[in-house]
């Protein structure tokens, strides 16, 4: 099955654009600014585009229906924070850039229902606030939450630090409204917890990165807000001990374990070097973990963490530890973890990788990584991340006195070596960020061919004109 | 988009069957028995079929590849416990009945990974036991767990009493191996928690009821086994109070609330009448709930339930209650709940409904139901079920002295009236059991037309010959 015939796109100019102007409110049309043609890492740049910012799902439908008829490609645009180039196409002549920025209504928040219906343009932080306003929690937390919009978050199935407890974006979505590639409106907003009436289009659209339709609104799952929070940092013997400690924590504390982050020595050394203002409660142990708890009314996080530390000490898993005695101290612990990416930026990585491996494979993967990378050159490795999900940030840095630019010619080899090792351990080369345009080749290299063939058949079936975010996820013409 | 051309199927007889005999081990071929041509409710019966029981995914692939080339339809067969006729087709001349009963290996159980990989033919109870053998919990619990097989459970996205805490079958599945409709093998077994590499075929195959491929193995999520369990029955003022009590329980006890079942007076009266040996701890209150807790090492279920009861009494939500003082007493409480379906059978329902509504709509739905049904005739209603999921068993019975047969001519009208009311409240006419052949018409009546069109496009894209479980979920020729 090929889509060769769909590479002949029409631009969103001339009579096509005039016709849309006649049918949509003037406010839908916005001057294109540079930010719509860029992405955070600067790898792709769009040349041009017709920027449309519809306010209603009906307006989205008008645009997509017209585009499908005229074969005009559409790039859906959320908060613009994606890291894999899903929101920028450089190889299309004047595509429609369809921004959800004006669809920002909170349609319904219901504490009895434990559900929240928001439009796709609502910024994640506002989703969290809307949940809090009805005394509930929307637990998805990512670094870009001040600008990422929920439509983009669902389209890329974003993750973050609380996946261990609450799941990925897809696990927090009960229903979707979307405009399909032919312009028809999918009315799938629903707070139902049990509904076995046909194929699950929600999960197909989530993570499809705008290639199968445009998410315009979502019904999200709300959770009880933990009444008591707590945190501890513990130095562990090695990554295997961190895994055992996590299982021990879940046995003793149940689902109250909200986050469990592994921190390697290199990351702490980078902080000591570049951000000495960040206090390191345990110094720079080889391996440590940050454990975060959120317990209900009758829970006592500090007592639970003391109990865990005692049991883990007796089992020889932990050597040292400190338990937050206040919310301020808990925030200080998190500041360590959250400063690591900034420390990394100040050092300047040669290559960084958004990967995951089966949790049981983490110790072997971490043990084998340095040998694989050393075959290419001398590097430092900073490995940290969400160990309970097997999702590691695996970043490769120059040795002291050298810079990332010194290794420009080795970057590709480092990336391939790390990805090959991930793949050999049954892991994923895109744990959180998605495929976008950056990892189309990785998908072809690492993903099961039967899966790729099925993806192409689904794409051809739902988007026969191939207009939805062409070139993202699947290569054009394949 | 139509599939009209696919209604010309070939039978699995003659040269086609001979060719398979030459290519597959003799043990693959089994004599067809009546049970493969029947289903529990006796609505459908198959006339004939070539029964194949492959032992490996490669053998499944050989069968499907041959069937796709020859246009021979395939009915996948798990434990045969489905309640909507997904496993029996009466309108096909000698289809392949592909039973997974010989694919019963537990391929891998890993407590560190919290994952279990099993073949599709493993019976649910054996899955639970394999989890327990590595000191973990596989929480899916349904009445048919002694005979239902995991492939069928995933294909129908089964639910059960613990969905409130642990989710439906799809939420407990990390990865799938499947044979696609062209015979290719999807190698998607994986314990990864974070993996954003393309469309989520796992969630598409789960709940597709064998119409998009055959699930041959699955990697399942394991959970910590609760160290302490407890239960209480509480009489509540009305269904709205039950919902408030549930939210209060989750605020106070967090994710430790494993089940929360609403029980109406009628169900208890049926038990008193037909099964007097079942002790009713609270008598026959209008509305009561069964709350089940599973807490971790440091939890105390009885204390948590006492605390909840005190708070709920003060808030005026509960009038009476009893907390299990032993595991035996907890089992006695569950015996009440689990005996209700048998009580129903002894009375004999006119019509029973597997429905769900948004939880916040439960009080209105329950209040309006009797009026809607009374327009058709005089009936008794037994409403009970998983209130936290909005999943109610809504069963309509004859008045005392009459039988279900007296109402044969009203059954259709009752079903339509209940389904229409469910639909008006934004509910689902198939909460747990799926569509099968029973609810194809309901799907066409109640499901969003854009969703149906997308389902047909996906079916046509992945199964262009239309051989996979034809007539289930989607009507043939549409």
């Amino acid at each position: 099955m090929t889509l060769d015939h769909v590479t002949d796109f029409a631009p969103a100019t001339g009579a096509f654009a005039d016709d849309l102007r006649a049918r949509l409110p003037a406010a839908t049309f916005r001057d294109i600014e540079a930010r719509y043609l860029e992405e955070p890492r600067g790898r792709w740049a769009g040349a041009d585009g017709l920027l449309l910012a519809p306010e209603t799902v009906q307006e989205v439908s008008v645009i997509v229906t017209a585009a499908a008829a005229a074969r005009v490609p559409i790039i859906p645009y959320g908060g613009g924070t994606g890291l894999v180039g899903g929101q920028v196409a450089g190889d299309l002549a004047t595509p429609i850039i369809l921004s959800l920025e004006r669809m920002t209504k909170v349609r319904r928040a219901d504490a009895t229902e434990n559900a929240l219906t928001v439009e796709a343009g609502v910024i994640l932080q506002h989703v969290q606030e809307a949940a809090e306003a009805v005394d509930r929690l929307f637990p998805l937390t990512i670094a870009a939450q001040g600008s990422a919009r929920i439509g983009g978050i669902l389209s890329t199935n974003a993750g973050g630090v609380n996946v261990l407890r609450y799941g990925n974006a897809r696990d927090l979505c009960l229903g979707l409204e979307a405009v399909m590639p032919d312009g028809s409106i999918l009315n799938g907003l629903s707070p139902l917890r049990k509904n076995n009436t046909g194929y699950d289009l929600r999960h197909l659209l989530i993570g499809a990165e705008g290639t199968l339709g445009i998410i315009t609104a979502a019904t999200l799952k709300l959770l009880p807000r933990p009444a008591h929070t707590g945190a501890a940092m513990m130095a562990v013997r090695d990554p295997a001990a961190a895994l055992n400690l996590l299982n021990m924590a879940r046995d003793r504390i149940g689902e109250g374990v909200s986050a469990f982050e592994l921190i390697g020595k290199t990351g702490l050394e980078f902080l000591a070097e570049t951000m000495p203002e960040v206090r390191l409660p345990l110094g720079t142990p080889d391996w440590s973990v940050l454990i975060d708890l959120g317990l209900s009314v009758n829970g006592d996080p500090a007592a639970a963490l003391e109990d865990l530390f005692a049991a883990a000490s007796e089992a020889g898993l932990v050597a040292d530890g400190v338990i937050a005695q206040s919310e301020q101290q808990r925030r200080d612990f998190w500041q360590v973890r959250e400063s690591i990416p900034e420390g990394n930026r100040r050092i300047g990585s040669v290559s960084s990788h958004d990967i995951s491996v089966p949790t049981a494979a983490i110790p072997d993967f971490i043990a084998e990584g340095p040998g694989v990378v050393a075959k290419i050159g001398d590097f430092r490795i900073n490995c940290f991340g969400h160990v309970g999900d097997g999702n590691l940030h695996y970043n490769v840095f120059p040795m002291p006195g050298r810079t990332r630019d010194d290794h420009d010619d080795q970057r590709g080899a480092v990336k391939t070596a790390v990805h090959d090792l991930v793949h050999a351990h049954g892991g994923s080369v895109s744990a959180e960020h998605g495929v976008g345009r950056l990892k189309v080749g990785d998908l072809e290299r690492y993903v099961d061919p039967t899966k790729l063939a099925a993806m192409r058949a689904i794409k051809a079936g739902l988007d026969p004109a191939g207009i939805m975010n062409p070139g993202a996820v699947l290569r054009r013409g394949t």
Side-chain angles (χ1 to χ4, degrees), chain A residues 118-124 127 138 140 148-155 215 218 220:
Chain A
V118 295
E119 293 185 341
V122 178
I123 287 171
L124 175 53
V127 175
F138 183 68
L140 194 81
R149 298 179 191 272
I150 197 70
I153 282 166
L154 290 167
S155 292
I215 295 171
L220 304 172

Side-chain angles (χ1 to χ4, degrees), chain A residues 22 28 86 123 197 249 251 264 281 337 402 437:
Chain A
T28 311
I123 287 171
T197 49
D251 275 339
R337 167 62 183 84
R402 309 201 65 182
R437 289 173 174 80

Side-chain angles (χ1 to χ4, degrees), chain A residues 5-351:
Chain A
H5 61 288
V6 304
T7 52
D8 283 334
F9 290 127
T13 54
F16 175 83
D18 293 344
D19 180 57
L20 281 183
R21 271 178 219 284
R23 295 168 63 200
L24 293 167
T28 311
F29 296 81
R30 307 207 143 186
D31 289 339
I32 190 129
E33 295 167 37
R35 64 190 172 96
Y36 294 101
L37 301 169
E38 297 165 353
E39 46 86 31
R41 290 185 174 167
R43 286 195 185 89
W44 283 268
D48 192 11
L50 175 66
L51 179 62
L52 300 176
E55 197 181 10
T56 67
V57 63
Q58 288 77 18
E59 290 170 8
V60 176
S61 173
V62 166
I63 295 166
V64 177
T65 303
R71 288 206 153 157
V72 172
I74 300 175
I75 315 297
Y77 196 91
T81 62
L83 295 171
V84 289
Q87 70 277 49
V88 175
D91 57 348
L92 297 168
T94 320
I96 291 169
I97 297 171
L98 195 154
S99 171
L100 282 306
E101 69 199 73
R102 289 176 68 228
M103 293 191 65
T104 55
K105 289 186 204 69
V106 174
R107 292 197 194 157
R108 182 182 160 101
D110 189 326
T112 303
E113 189 68 61
N114 291 295
L116 175 68
T117 298
V118 295
E119 293 185 341
V122 178
I123 287 171
L124 175 53
Q125 193 177 316
H126 300 160
V127 175
Q128 295 163 346
E129 289 163 4
E132 205 174 320
V134 293
D135 197 26
R136 291 288 182 272
L137 176 74
F138 183 68
L140 194 81
T141 307
I142 60 173
Q145 65 197 31
S147 45
R149 298 179 191 272
I150 197 70
I153 282 166
L154 290 167
S155 292
T156 57
N157 186 31
V161 296
N162 294 135
V163 170
L164 173 70
R165 178 169 187 171
Y166 297 109
N168 295 288
R170 73 167 68 255
D171 303 303
L172 296 167
C173 179
L174 297 166
L176 286 181
E177 176 190 88
V179 174
M180 301 303 284
D182 65 354
S184 61
I185 297 172
L186 179 74
N187 291 299
L189 289 179
S190 163
L192 293 180
R193 261 66 178 179
K194 281 187 175 176
N195 181 13
N196 281 341
T197 49
Y199 307 161
D200 198 319
L201 300 186
R202 166 187 50 145
H203 280 303
L204 190 61
L205 289 168
I206 295 173
E209 305 185 31
T211 63
L212 298 178
I214 298 173
I215 295 171
T216 54
T219 302
L220 304 172
K221 199 190 279 186
L222 299 182
L223 283 298
R225 293 177 67 196
H228 307 290
T229 52
M233 297 190 80
M234 298 187 195
V236 293
R237 204 181 49 218
D238 53 29
L243 277 178
N244 291 337
L245 179 61
L246 172 59
N247 278 322
M248 182 183 275
R250 299 179 80 184
D251 275 339
R252 300 186 84 83
I253 309 171
E255 288 97 333
V257 183
S258 300
F260 194 96
E261 298 286 299
L262 182 69
I263 300 173
K265 185 189 186 81
T266 308
L268 299 175
E269 288 174 341
F270 286 180
L271 288 184
E273 181 184 337
T274 66
M275 301 173 75
E277 69 277 17
V278 177
R279 210 178 71 77
L280 305 176
L282 298 176
T284 58
D286 282 351
W287 294 102
S288 52
V289 296
L290 169 57
I291 309 172
D292 198 73
L293 302 189
L295 303 184
S296 48
V297 173
N298 298 310
D300 181 343
L305 289 164
E306 275 158 30
D307 166 78
L308 175 65
F309 184 74
S313 298
E314 193 169 315
L317 298 175
V318 299
D320 192 7
V322 50
I323 295 168
Q325 299 303 317
S326 66
E327 180 59 23
Q328 180 57 47
Q329 217 174 356
R330 174 173 172 253
R331 275 196 222 111
D332 289 346
F333 292 178
W334 272 104
Q335 207 207 338
V336 175
R337 167 62 183 84
E338 287 168 353
S339 297
I340 291 175
E342 179 56 26
N344 287 347
R345 271 186 288 275
R346 293 187 186 185
I347 298 288
S349 76
V350 175
S351 182

Side-chain angles (χ1 to χ4, degrees), chain A residues 354-362 364-366 368 389-392 417-431 446-448 451:
Chain A
D354 164 38
I355 55 137
S356 68
V357 293
T359 50
I362 288 176
D364 284 349
F365 173 79
I366 289 179
E368 294 164 20
D389 318 318
N391 178 200
L392 302 173
V418 172
H419 282 181
D420 283 353
L421 183 64
V422 166
H423 187 63
H425 282 287
S428 168
V429 298
S430 179
Y446 298 112
V447 163
D448 182 58
K451 175 173 174 177

